[in-house]
Amino acid sequence: QKEVEQNSGPLSVPEGAIASLNCTYSDRGSQSFFWYRQYSGKSPELIMFIYSNGDKEDGRFTAQLNKASQYVSLLIRDSQPSDSATYLCAAEMNRDDKIIFGKGTRLHILP
Amino acid sequence: EPEVTQTPSHQVTQMGQEVILRCVPISNHLYFYWYRQILGQKVEFLVSFYNNEISEKSEIFDDQFSVERPDGSNFTLKIRSTKLEDSAMYFCASTEQGGGGETQYFGPGTRLLVL
């Protein structure tokens, strides 16, 4: 059974600070990893994707992947109130293109 | 910017009735997906579709479910005889290519309520 695990939160972070979101996955064959943001009642919106070990930066967002530890993280720098949402970690195995989602971590940015 | 669209945004139906949820994927995309999200739970894969046939389906996608691409633009999910537990948000997604590593773009969802 392929699983993606996340702490459900809520994670409360002061405005302007760094928010750190973590995720682990069970299937060592997973190759691609995604972070989606989901506002209440809305659809998932892609924030970042990462395939290679290490860090990938895009604006205020940095995704980190450690395949040996089966660990993915998302850092949000200079957190804004608009970043308050549920962040979904997802994993995809090559040639098996369904995405397995975690339950999501609720992030609350405190003004 | 191209986007996935879904209709209706909300659907209320009686248990045992058939519902059809509609999606228009991004025009140059070839791979299509349905996911569902029961309130407060995680997004779950239902089915993937390519070249007019199902590529993969989950254990949730039983005989009550079917998918179809009736024309060049629409992609539909049919639930033949709805159950209370089918109440959920249903998301359609599409991607340009399959085989892994492709970003899936999600539609806004259809909220289905079965009474």
Side-chain angles (χ1 to χ4, degrees):
Chain A
Q1 181 89 4
K2 301 173 188 176
E3 297 283 347
V4 175
E5 299 289 341
Q6 295 180 256
N7 188 323
S8 61
L11 175 65
S12 296
V13 173
E15 183 175 355
I18 296 175
S20 177
L21 303 160
N22 305 312
C23 165
T24 58
Y25 59 95
S26 63
D27 187 356
R28 195 168 283 278
S30 297
Q31 296 289 326
S32 308
F33 304 89
F34 305 85
W35 282 100
Y36 284 84
R37 179 175 62 198
Q38 186 176 33
Y39 293 111
S40 181
K42 303 295 185 183
S43 63
E45 172 193 359
L46 182 71
I47 299 294
M48 294 277 296
F49 60 88
I50 186 166
Y51 311 139
S52 304
N53 271 328
D55 294 0
K56 179 181 177 184
E57 188 173 318
D58 184 1
R60 295 187 297 114
F61 299 95
T62 299
Q64 299 173 316
L65 174 60
N66 183 327
K67 289 187 178 181
S69 301
Q70 295 177 232
Y71 178 88
V72 193
S73 66
L74 179 70
L75 300 178
I76 306 174
R77 287 180 298 282
D78 188 24
S79 298
Q80 303 296 309
S82 59
D83 295 327
S84 297
T86 297
Y87 288 80
L88 311 179
C89 175
E92 179 186 55
M93 186 171 171
N94 278 344
R95 300 182 189 178
D96 175 1
D97 54 358
K98 70 184 182 197
I99 289 179
I100 305 297
F101 282 88
K103 281 192 169 183
T105 298
R106 282 187 295 132
L107 175 65
H108 184 209
I109 305 301
L110 304 169
Chain B
E1 186 174 326
E3 57 184 20
V4 177
T5 60
Q6 290 185 243
T7 54
S9 58
H10 294 78
Q11 173 98 41
V12 181
T13 190
Q14 295 290 325
M15 188 171 58
Q17 295 296 303
E18 174 184 286
V19 295
I20 297 176
L21 309 183
R22 292 184 167 79
C23 167
V24 178
I26 294 172
S27 62
N28 65 331
H29 286 189
L30 300 176
Y31 292 78
F32 315 118
Y33 309 84
W34 283 101
Y35 292 83
R36 80 170 185 190
Q37 187 176 30
I38 295 171
L39 186 65
Q41 298 190 23
K42 62 181 174 182
V43 177
E44 300 173 288
F45 169 80
L46 293 178
V47 65
S48 58
F49 189 87
Y50 168 70
N51 200 25
N52 282 319
E53 61 183 29
I54 290 173
S55 305
E56 187 172 358
K57 59 184 180 179
S58 72
E59 58 275 10
I60 302 169
F61 194 89
D62 61 22
D63 292 343
Q64 293 300 312
F65 292 88
S66 62
V67 289
E68 193 178 32
R69 187 152 164 83
D71 53 43
S73 60
N74 288 284
F75 177 51
T76 62
L77 174 70
K78 182 194 288 187
I79 309 175
R80 286 189 187 81
S81 178
T82 50
K83 307 186 199 67
L84 296 176
E85 55 265 36
D86 293 328
S87 295
M89 280 286 280
Y90 287 81
F91 296 111
C92 173
S94 70
T95 187
E96 189 170 353
Q97 298 180 42
E102 292 288 326
T103 299
Q104 294 185 17
Y105 294 90
F106 282 72
T110 294
R111 185 177 297 280
L112 176 65
L113 178 60
V114 181
L115 301 176

